[in-house]
Amino acid sequence: MTLACATPVAAQSPVDPVQAAQPGVGVEIRGAVSGKYKDFYARRGYWPLWVEKDRIGPQADALLALIADSELDGLRPRAYGARDLQKLIDAADNSPNPKVLARAELALSKALADLVVDMRRPARGMAMRYLDPEVEPRDPDPSDILRTAALAPSLKDYIQTAGWMSPFYMQLRKARAIYLDTWGDLPAITVPADVKLRPGGKSPDIARLRQRLGLSDGTAYDKALVERVRVFQRDHGLKPDGVAGTMTVAALNRGPRYYDRLLALNLERARLLPGPWTRHVVVDAASARLWYYNKGALDGTMKVVVGTEQTQTPLMAGMIRYATLNPYWNIPPDLVQRNVAPKILRGASLKSLNYEALADWSADAAPLPQSAVDWDAVAAGRREVRVRQLPGAGNAMGRVKFMFPNDLGIYLHDTPQRDLFAKADRHFSNGCVRLEDAQRLGRWFFGKAPTLDGDAPEQHQPLPQPVPVFLTYLTAVPTAQGVQFLPDVYGRDGI
């Protein structure tokens, strides 16, 4: 499965693949098409994708507009022959004979396929770990690209929105252009960093601040400057209080090139995500939020709790294959050393903590009596012992966890710690992803709420169809106003 080109559900039935070639244009297409493009056209009876009523349709204009802006994708517009395409379109419109229409038809299909492949291709060095072959990036086949496009309810809309790309990518792409238009051409003036500039003041330093933000000359920190500072703060992930404090001045002095590089980095991270026609889940560890998509649309979003700076949620992608109801929690050995062993040494029992010790890490490990463990050695780090929390209302996994098998023990799970979702900064976990509403996500995965069969622990239920999940890290996120920059909690940006 090529995630970038997952097939949309069309609003109308596709062309009958055994339909005979249509007179005129279809005959010319059959005579001229070759290679993998022939696979696409043959299956639809050589019916054109771009020709409507003996003219090239408006979807061609959408493609030319996307090509013209492809520098935003790090591409060269000239590589897709936009001028030649326009000449072919003009010739077809001026003299709509079948041969000319077919020539424009095939050129447009090739340009679309080439553009999709290039837009989807990841940059070198992007540190995403792929757990399953289904999620690994690869160049899609031209026939698959065109077949997906042909099944879109509106080819024009599909191209205008670049439906093969993640909505995060396209929103950031637009936000980058808005950001550069808003902040990119302002004077490169350094604002003194050792003075806090406040509304109501007057000084030469305030004059420099006004110049830096593109306002009229003057020395007063007036209402216009307060509002301009607030807008700058909002766009750069700072508290919009209108006061040019240390963090605001530091952001101003970094300059737009710094933030453009940051936007470019986050665009490359977003490029790794599927388009919305692929049923999938995205978890962003920077903003601590989750989204899930299907059939070209966002189906829902929720808050999550992710790893701390020390126990980071990794960049990885895999297939969620099953849910585990009534789960155990296998406590990480470092937490057993730091938290569990000291409690035992102070007189607590494993039973009172709702824990049990096990002889090893196998699936059918035998329980160990508490007395059989050298808890002093565990607390000192000289010995490891497997300890797990038994299922129940207080279990750290909550009632369910969603599994995409990996050797790091990372998964999505329910949690009894509801208070953490009220916090703005939700970096508290040991790397796993705690869900604000695990039951809602479960209904989305299964089409109904997964239910327990009795009270047995660790009940595994396979998903009706495995769902891709992408754990990413976006420190620049699109907003209704443009873009917001988030703290680099994990220190991964390296800008």
Side-chain angles (χ1 to χ4, degrees):
M1 173 170 88
T2 303
L3 290 175
C5 290
T7 303
V9 177
Q12 57 188 11
S13 298
V15 174
D16 184 348
V18 298
Q19 182 179 7
Q22 296 299 304
V25 177
V27 172
E28 294 296 338
I29 290 172
R30 181 161 65 175
V33 71
S34 62
K36 293 182 178 180
Y37 294 92
K38 189 168 186 175
D39 295 340
F40 166 70
Y41 281 102
R43 291 188 182 188
R44 55 190 276 119
Y46 300 96
W47 195 272
L49 182 62
W50 306 86
V51 178
E52 298 180 358
K53 298 179 180 179
D54 293 329
R55 293 182 63 86
I56 301 298
Q59 56 267 38
D61 293 329
L63 178 59
L64 290 175
L66 195 62
I67 288 172
D69 288 340
S70 62
E71 286 185 350
L72 295 171
D73 307 296
L75 306 175
R76 294 183 301 109
R78 283 186 294 178
Y80 307 98
R83 289 184 180 180
D84 291 337
L85 288 174
Q86 187 64 66
K87 290 178 181 178
L88 288 169
I89 293 168
D90 292 342
D93 288 344
N94 293 330
S95 178
N97 71 71
K99 188 178 291 293
V100 175
L101 286 167
R103 192 177 300 126
E105 166 79 23
L106 296 177
L108 287 164
S109 289
K110 183 179 186 305
L112 175 62
D114 289 345
L115 183 63
V116 170
V117 168
D118 291 344
M119 287 182 71
R120 288 294 316 167
R121 185 174 292 126
R124 293 181 180 178
M126 297 308 296
M128 177 73 80
R129 182 182 179 193
Y130 297 97
L131 304 171
D132 298 289
E134 296 98 318
V135 295
E136 290 181 359
R138 61 179 183 269
D139 289 349
D141 188 278
S143 61
D144 291 334
I145 293 171
L146 296 176
R147 191 173 300 116
T148 300
L151 288 172
S154 166
L155 179 56
K156 177 184 175 183
D157 291 346
Y158 181 72
I159 294 173
Q160 284 180 332
T161 60
W164 53 90
M165 302 299 292
S166 167
F168 288 99
Y169 179 90
M170 293 307 293
Q171 291 163 12
L172 272 176
R173 182 183 188 267
K174 179 179 178 181
R176 185 183 185 190
I178 293 172
Y179 179 85
L180 292 175
D181 186 57
T182 304
W183 305 109
D185 294 328
L186 296 178
I189 293 172
T190 301
V191 179
D194 55 350
V195 179
K196 192 171 187 177
L197 306 177
R198 295 180 175 275
K202 286 187 176 183
S203 72
D205 292 336
I206 292 173
R208 295 182 67 82
L209 177 63
R210 293 180 68 88
Q211 286 181 285
R212 175 66 183 85
L213 290 172
L215 295 180
S216 59
D217 291 343
T219 60
Y221 207 127
D222 55 16
K223 290 182 179 179
L225 181 55
V226 170
E227 180 57 27
R228 189 66 168 160
V229 170
R230 281 179 178 156
V231 172
F232 179 87
Q233 291 169 326
R234 184 197 66 209
D235 284 358
H236 292 77
L238 304 169
K239 182 180 178 181
D241 57 9
V243 176
T246 302
M247 295 179 67
T248 299
V249 171
L252 283 163
N253 288 340
R254 286 192 188 107
R257 289 186 180 180
Y258 170 89
Y259 290 101
D260 186 47
R261 291 197 301 272
L262 190 55
L263 281 164
L265 172 63
N266 281 276
L267 267 174
E268 292 304 329
R269 290 169 176 163
R271 197 190 297 269
L272 302 177
L273 306 176
W277 293 99
T278 297
R279 192 167 194 255
H280 72 282
V281 174
V282 173
V283 176
D284 174 30
S287 63
R289 196 153 194 98
L290 175 149
W291 298 260
Y292 46 101
Y293 292 87
N294 192 29
K295 297 180 180 179
L298 174 67
D299 277 355
T301 183
M302 66 182 68
K303 297 175 183 177
V304 295
V305 173
V306 292
T308 67
E309 181 182 356
Q310 292 73 33
T311 57
Q312 299 180 8
T313 298
L315 288 163
M316 62 165 50
M319 301 296 290
I320 298 177
R321 300 188 183 277
Y322 64 94
T324 299
L325 306 178
N326 214 22
Y328 292 111
W329 177 40
N330 286 292
I331 305 174
D334 61 318
L335 294 185
V336 173
Q337 178 188 350
R338 294 200 311 267
N339 297 341
V340 178
K343 291 178 181 178
I344 300 297
L345 293 173
R346 289 196 297 268
S349 68
L350 288 174
K351 184 177 181 180
S352 68
L353 296 171
N354 203 34
Y355 296 160
E356 66 178 357
L358 300 171
D360 55 52
W361 287 87
S362 65
D364 55 353
L368 282 176
Q370 180 174 316
S371 59
V373 178
D374 183 348
W375 293 103
D376 285 306
V378 173
R382 298 193 306 273
R383 180 185 172 185
E384 285 189 1
V385 63
R386 180 183 176 187
V387 176
R388 68 184 178 189
Q389 187 180 29
L390 301 176
N395 185 282
M397 299 293 101
R399 298 294 187 182
V400 61
K401 56 184 179 180
F402 302 107
M403 307 297 290
F404 51 108
N406 61 85
D407 58 359
L408 298 179
I410 302 296
Y411 37 82
L412 316 182
H413 67 86
D414 190 14
T415 176
Q417 291 183 280
R418 313 308 302 173
D419 58 308
L420 296 181
F421 295 108
K423 297 181 180 294
D425 182 356
R426 296 185 295 278
H427 295 84
F428 294 102
S429 84
N430 292 299
C432 283
V433 179
R434 305 178 193 174
L435 301 168
E436 181 183 30
D437 194 342
Q439 298 305 312
R440 172 157 55 96
L441 190 60
R443 289 192 297 271
W444 185 77
F445 282 139
F446 287 90
K448 61 180 181 179
T451 56
L452 282 166
D453 183 11
D455 59 359
E458 294 278 300
Q459 297 183 29
H460 305 306
Q461 294 188 12
L463 270 62
Q465 183 175 353
V467 175
V469 59
F470 287 76
L471 308 187
T472 189
Y473 185 73
L474 300 176
T475 51
V477 294
T479 67
Q481 294 77 29
V483 65
Q484 181 182 15
F485 297 96
L486 302 178
D488 180 15
V489 176
Y490 293 167
R492 292 176 178 171
D493 287 344
I495 301 295

